[in-house]
């Protein structure tokens, strides 16, 4: 959900990646820390403050969230920006990519679930279905074996409509990307957002 329409839905007190790992570590399906925290795990240092914590799962595994966060409230972000309760056992429609989660009605939001698509053993970008990677190759392991989304994929998502924090993340992480990751990111941006995208000159 865009940040400019998040405020009416309540406060956030984002969980730390280690807390998310404690919750999702035994869920039995692949999951990854995403968003700005994923880039921090890759960089190995603090980059900035965070308004939320993103955890990415494949759409096929969405009901694992309800099992892992049993007793919590789960609210689906239905486009174009409305939160509504996610019913137990409900399979979310393809247009819903985000779920906000909190321990109870009086609690702040702690975790935002991101749902990405797949085709067999391949991760498929929801921004461009021609972009595919083997599911086992879209993540890395950080400190204490916390899985996180590969930086080139996270930056690809941030490149759609870069905000100041996205520009800051890109500048901080770019020097750490090797040739293979840079090349993938450059090709993905060109194919999805156009050859004139400003980030491509730095890649």
């Amino acid at each position: 959900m865009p940040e400019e329409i998040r405020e009416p839905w309540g406060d956030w007190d984002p969980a730390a990646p280690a807390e998310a790992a404690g919750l999702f570590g035994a869920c039995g399906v692949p999951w990854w820390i995403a968003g700005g925290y994923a880039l921090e795990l890759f960089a190995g240092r603090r980059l900035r403050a965070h308004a939320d914590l993103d955890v990415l799962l494949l759409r096929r595994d969405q009901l694992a969230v309800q099992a892992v966060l049993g007793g919590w409230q789960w609210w689906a972000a239905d486009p174009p920006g409305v939160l509504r309760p996610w019913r137990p056992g409900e399979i979310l429609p393809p247009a819903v990519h985000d779920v906000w989660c909190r321990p109870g009605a009086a609690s702040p939001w702690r975790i935002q679930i991101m749902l990405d698509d797949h085709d067999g053993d391949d991760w498929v970008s929801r921004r461009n279905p021609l972009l595919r990677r083997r599911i086992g190759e879209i993540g890395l392991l950080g400190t204490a074996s916390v899985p996180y989304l590969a930086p080139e994929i996270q930056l690809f998502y941030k490149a759609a409509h870069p905000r100041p924090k996205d520009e800051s993340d890109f500048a901080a992480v770019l020097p750490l990307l090797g040739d293979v990751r840079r090349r993938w990111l450059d090709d993905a941006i060109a194919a999805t957002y156009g050859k004139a995208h400003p980030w491509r000159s730095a890649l």
Side-chain angles (χ1 to χ4, degrees):
M1 181 180 294
E3 292 184 354
E4 62 270 17
I5 56 177
R6 290 170 65 101
E7 185 175 348
W9 299 103
D11 296 330
W12 273 85
D13 178 19
E19 182 181 348
L23 291 167
F24 286 87
C27 70
V29 300
W31 65 276
W32 304 266
I33 298 293
Y37 274 115
L39 298 177
E40 285 193 352
L41 287 167
F42 177 70
R45 64 182 178 88
R46 178 82 163 173
L47 298 179
R48 57 174 173 81
H50 299 276
D52 57 16
L53 172 79
D54 300 326
V55 174
L56 174 70
L57 285 90
L58 299 174
R59 184 170 296 278
R60 70 183 184 195
D61 299 323
Q62 61 184 271
L63 292 183
V65 174
Q66 297 188 353
V68 168
L69 301 181
W72 285 44
Q73 289 195 343
W74 326 298
W75 288 64
D78 248 339
V82 174
L83 284 180
R84 53 105 172 157
W86 181 20
R87 299 185 304 276
E90 177 193 0
I91 300 300
L92 295 169
V96 174
H97 304 294
D98 306 324
V99 179
W100 291 21
C101 305
R102 60 186 177 185
S107 303
W109 303 103
R110 304 299 315 284
I111 295 173
Q112 179 169 323
I113 302 297
M114 317 291 289
L115 299 177
D116 253 1
D117 298 321
H118 70 284
D119 181 11
D121 292 330
D122 290 342
W123 162 85
V124 180
S125 169
R126 66 176 182 267
R127 298 269 172 79
N128 181 349
L130 297 179
L131 291 181
R132 296 170 175 243
R133 296 270 287 270
R134 303 295 283 179
I135 291 170
E137 298 175 352
I138 70 168
L140 301 170
L141 282 179
T143 304
S145 297
V146 176
Y148 63 92
L149 189 62
E152 66 274 19
I153 297 177
Q154 185 57 66
L155 288 172
F156 163 73
Y157 279 126
K158 284 176 168 287
H161 303 287
R163 300 155 295 184
K165 69 177 183 180
D166 301 320
E167 298 286 358
S168 175
D169 286 345
F170 178 67
V173 173
L174 180 61
L176 306 176
L177 297 180
D179 290 343
V180 173
R181 297 189 192 281
R182 283 177 181 245
R183 190 177 310 115
W184 187 92
L185 179 57
D186 186 38
D187 291 344
I189 288 175
T192 308
Y193 310 129
K195 294 182 178 180
H197 192 286
W199 285 9
R200 295 193 65 227
S201 62
L203 291 166

